[in-house]
């Protein structure tokens, strides 16, 4: 079955498609973001919104437009290699750029009532964006769409391709929001050592699945052979060769993008101070939350009050200990100065 003409440099430039719903989403996101920045500046001229955030968000929307309208989208149903390019754009590159644009922070700064920030810092959003959960989601989505019959079914039912694209985009945004973002959520102060560790662990699924696709002896998605009648008979890029090349792209470029993200996180880590540079306050706040929730479940009312008092006592003791250490440090400095 012949669907698209042979991929050449000319056909790549000329073969674009109009993805109405995707383009509508891009226009709505871009227009809402621009209107929010304008409203923020108009409401209070002293409040500025860094220009680089806007450029990063716009770059993410441009990447989304290319992934859904260009030859990448046109040929993603004919070549597994092109599907993999689109996949990496939707699940990694575009979400990372959108996260760095900080749309949630813009939204919260426009809301003077503070309701938006309360929602973003609430339990529901906190659970949805929990770093452990999002990394598991990322891995499961990769496995489910590449090592199961899903890809074969998707090729025979084009509407599933749009569902897959939405899944990649949402999964990528949820994954990189706590990892790369500093949005006003519960994970805004997520320690950078854990961020770096999570990013390194994120290389695992790309590497493992990429190697499996490269090492397979038979095509896992034979339906790709029905989507084109070129580059197969002459052996230029058979279905199996196409699959192996796609696996190599997933392995190399997936890990390369995650390595870039890791370097960005390491650079930030070296520049931050306080709890984000280590585990101190973050672990303490996690301990306090766990104690309050445990006591509330065990003895609602009295137990929760007692736990709050115990926590206050612990906090006072911790502050007194820190004050003592600071006093000893000042005494040492004074003695050193007299000497």
């Amino acid at each position: 079955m012949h669907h698209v003409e042979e991929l050449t440099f000319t056909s790549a430039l000329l073969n674009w498609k109009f993805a109405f719903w995707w383009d509508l989403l891009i226009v709505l996101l871009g227009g809402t973001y621009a209107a929010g920045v304008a409203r923020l500046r108009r409401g209070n001229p002293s409040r500025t919104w860094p220009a680089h955030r806007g450029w990063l968000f716009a770059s993410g929307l441009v990447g989304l437009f290319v992934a859904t309208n260009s030859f990448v989208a046109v040929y993603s149903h004919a070549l597994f290699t092109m599907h993999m390019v689109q996949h990496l754009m939707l699940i990694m590159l575009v979400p990372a750029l959108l996260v760095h644009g900080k749309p949630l922070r813009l939204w919260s700064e426009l809301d003077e009532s503070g309701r938006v920030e309360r929602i973003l810092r609430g339990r529901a959003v906190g659970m949805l964006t929990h770093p452990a959960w999002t990394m598991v989601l990322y891995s499961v989505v990769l496995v489910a769409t590449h090592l199961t019959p899903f890809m074969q079914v998707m090729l025979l039912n084009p509407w599933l391709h749009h569902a897959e694209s939405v899944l990649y985009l949402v999964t990528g945004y949820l994954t990189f929001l706590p990892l790369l973002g500093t949005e006003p959520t519960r994970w805004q102060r997520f320690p950078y050592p854990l961020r770096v560790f999570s990013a390194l662990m994120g290389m695992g699924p790309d590497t493992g699945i990429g190697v499996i696709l490269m090492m397979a002896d038979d095509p896992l998605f034979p339906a790709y052979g029905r989507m084109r009648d070129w580059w197969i008979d002459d052996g230029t890029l058979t279905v199996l060769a196409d699959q192996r090349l796609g696996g190599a792209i997933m392995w190399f470029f997936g890990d390369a993008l995650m390595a870039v993200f890791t370097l960005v996180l390491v650079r930030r880590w070296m520049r931050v101070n306080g709890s984000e540079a280590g585990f101190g306050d973050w672990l303490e706040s996690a301990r306090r939350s766990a104690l309050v929730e445990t006591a509330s479940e065990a003895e609602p009312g009295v137990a929760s009050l007692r736990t709050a008092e115990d926590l206050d006592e612990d906090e006072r003791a911790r502050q007194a200990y820190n004050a003592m250490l600071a006093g000893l440090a000042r005494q040492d400095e004074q003695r050193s100065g007299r000497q």
Side-chain angles (χ1 to χ4, degrees):
M1 183 182 298
H2 180 65
H3 286 271
V4 291
E5 61 181 295
E6 181 178 350
L7 177 61
T8 63
F9 181 77
T10 302
S11 64
L13 292 178
L14 299 178
N15 272 291
W16 287 59
K17 67 176 183 177
F18 179 60
F20 174 78
W21 293 110
W22 282 110
D23 294 342
L24 179 61
L25 175 64
I26 292 170
V27 170
L28 289 175
L29 290 175
T32 302
Y33 190 93
V37 174
R39 180 185 166 192
L40 185 68
R41 292 174 176 173
R42 185 172 59 251
N44 188 349
S46 63
R47 296 171 67 183
T48 60
W49 186 256
H52 72 273
R53 295 180 185 174
W55 285 112
L56 287 168
F57 192 82
S59 299
L61 294 181
V62 170
L64 181 58
F65 179 80
V66 172
T68 55
N69 289 263
S70 73
F71 70 95
V72 174
V74 173
Y75 285 92
S76 64
H77 226 69
L79 290 168
F80 181 70
T81 50
M82 205 59 65
H83 159 84
M84 193 55 66
V85 172
Q86 185 187 50
H87 154 83
L88 291 176
M89 292 181 71
L90 290 175
I91 203 170
M92 297 187 75
L93 183 61
V94 171
L97 290 171
L98 295 180
V99 165
H100 278 97
K102 301 185 186 299
L104 300 182
R105 182 171 295 279
L106 175 61
W107 186 25
S108 66
E109 289 192 13
L110 289 172
D111 178 44
E112 297 180 355
S113 67
R115 181 181 178 186
V116 170
E117 187 164 351
R118 288 194 297 271
I119 293 175
L120 292 176
R121 294 186 184 279
R123 178 172 297 183
V125 176
M127 293 176 62
L128 186 63
T129 58
H130 193 291
W133 148 249
T134 55
M135 192 55 67
V136 170
L137 176 66
Y138 179 82
S139 303
V140 169
V141 167
L142 292 188
V143 171
T145 56
H146 292 96
L147 299 183
T148 68
F150 174 85
M151 186 72 67
Q152 181 78 1
V153 176
M154 183 268 292
L155 290 170
L156 301 177
N157 298 273
W159 66 270
L160 270 178
H161 195 172
H162 297 292
E164 180 191 46
S165 298
V166 172
L167 179 64
Y168 284 159
L169 186 62
V170 172
T171 298
Y173 188 81
L174 291 177
T175 299
F176 293 113
L177 181 60
L179 191 65
L180 301 176
T182 54
E183 297 277 45
T185 67
R186 283 192 172 192
W187 310 107
Q188 180 179 353
R189 304 297 180 187
F190 190 48
Y192 276 94
L194 290 179
R195 295 191 192 214
V196 172
F197 176 76
S198 298
L200 293 174
M201 291 299 99
M203 295 182 181
D206 291 314
T207 300
I209 296 172
V211 170
I212 291 174
L213 294 173
M214 291 172 60
M215 299 297 291
D217 295 327
D218 300 302
L220 300 180
F221 325 114
Y224 269 110
R226 310 181 196 176
M227 303 299 158
R228 58 188 170 98
D229 56 6
W230 35 270
W231 291 3
I232 295 180
D233 295 336
D234 61 359
T236 302
L237 193 65
T238 63
V239 175
L240 182 58
D242 180 36
Q243 174 184 298
R244 289 174 173 173
L245 180 58
I249 291 173
M250 184 178 192
W251 179 11
F252 179 80
F253 288 101
D255 283 2
L257 283 172
M258 199 66 81
V260 171
F261 298 155
T262 303
L263 291 176
V264 170
L265 290 171
V266 170
R267 184 170 178 267
R268 287 191 200 166
W269 184 6
M270 296 174 64
R271 297 169 61 182
V272 300
N273 297 311
S275 60
E276 292 176 271
F279 302 98
D281 290 347
W282 184 79
L283 288 178
E284 174 62 19
S285 63
R287 183 186 72 86
R288 289 166 62 91
S289 298
L291 285 174
V292 170
E293 291 179 4
T294 301
S296 298
E297 293 174 359
E299 296 181 67
V302 176
S304 60
L305 290 174
R306 187 174 63 249
T307 303
E309 294 173 356
D310 293 342
L311 290 175
D312 290 338
E313 184 178 349
D314 288 348
E315 181 64 19
R316 286 193 295 270
R318 189 173 72 91
Q319 291 177 357
Y321 179 71
N322 290 336
M324 181 190 69
L325 292 179
L328 292 175
R330 285 194 297 270
Q331 293 177 6
D332 290 339
E333 292 177 358
Q334 293 172 356
R335 283 196 294 268
S336 299
R338 287 194 296 268
Q339 293 175 357

